[in-house]
Amino acid sequence: MSRGWKITVVVVAVAGIVSTPLFWLLNSPDTGQLVGASVQAAVAIAALVWALFQQPPTGQAPGPVDVAVSTGKAEATGGGSAGTGVRRPAGEGSGSATAERTGDASADGAGSSASTGIDYS
């Protein structure tokens, strides 16, 4: 369920929960009206609980969204490290990543590394 729909369902459910006691107190309800108001309150509470426990759609990854756009030149020598994009150590966090128009990368020497996009190492 998207965030917008979740907020809408929560607002409508809270309105249903709040309006039920007002109906009971203001109109001196008979048995049928009392049953109807009770059903209204139960449905509103069920909708509220359901909306609160909904997870985002599978296409929307939780966590950070890493983006590297129009990255430039990265160059590392003599065991150094250079990066012009996003670096997130492997195994830390979750979420989606996008790299666009990545540029040159050059690494020279033992142990050196260069990255112009997204680096999960």
Side-chain angles (χ1 to χ4, degrees), residues 92-110:
E92 292 186 19
S94 62
S96 63
T98 303
E100 296 180 14
R101 297 182 297 277
T102 58
D104 299 332
S106 176
D108 186 27

Side-chain angles (χ1 to χ4, degrees), residues 1-2 54-62:
M1 171 182 289
S2 71
Q54 290 299 303
Q55 298 296 322
T58 56
Q60 297 176 355

Side-chain angles (χ1 to χ4, degrees), residues 65-109:
V65 177
D66 297 331
V67 178
V69 178
S70 298
T71 58
K73 185 176 180 179
E75 185 176 327
T77 58
S81 177
T84 62
V86 176
R87 183 167 190 261
R88 183 181 350 154
E92 292 186 19
S94 62
S96 63
T98 303
E100 296 180 14
R101 297 182 297 277
T102 58
D104 299 332
S106 176
D108 186 27

Side-chain angles (χ1 to χ4, degrees), residues 3-111:
R3 184 176 175 93
W5 276 111
K6 188 173 186 176
I7 291 171
T8 302
V9 171
V10 168
V11 168
V12 170
V14 168
I17 294 168
V18 170
S19 69
T20 300
L22 292 176
F23 178 77
W24 288 349
L25 295 173
L26 297 177
N27 290 333
S28 301
D30 61 20
T31 304
Q33 292 170 327
L34 190 58
V35 168
S38 298
V39 170
Q40 174 188 344
V43 169
I45 290 169
L48 178 63
V49 169
W50 176 79
L52 292 176
F53 285 105
Q54 290 299 303
Q55 298 296 322
T58 56
Q60 297 176 355
V65 177
D66 297 331
V67 178
V69 178
S70 298
T71 58
K73 185 176 180 179
E75 185 176 327
T77 58
S81 177
T84 62
V86 176
R87 183 167 190 261
R88 183 181 350 154
E92 292 186 19
S94 62
S96 63
T98 303
E100 296 180 14
R101 297 182 297 277
T102 58
D104 299 332
S106 176
D108 186 27

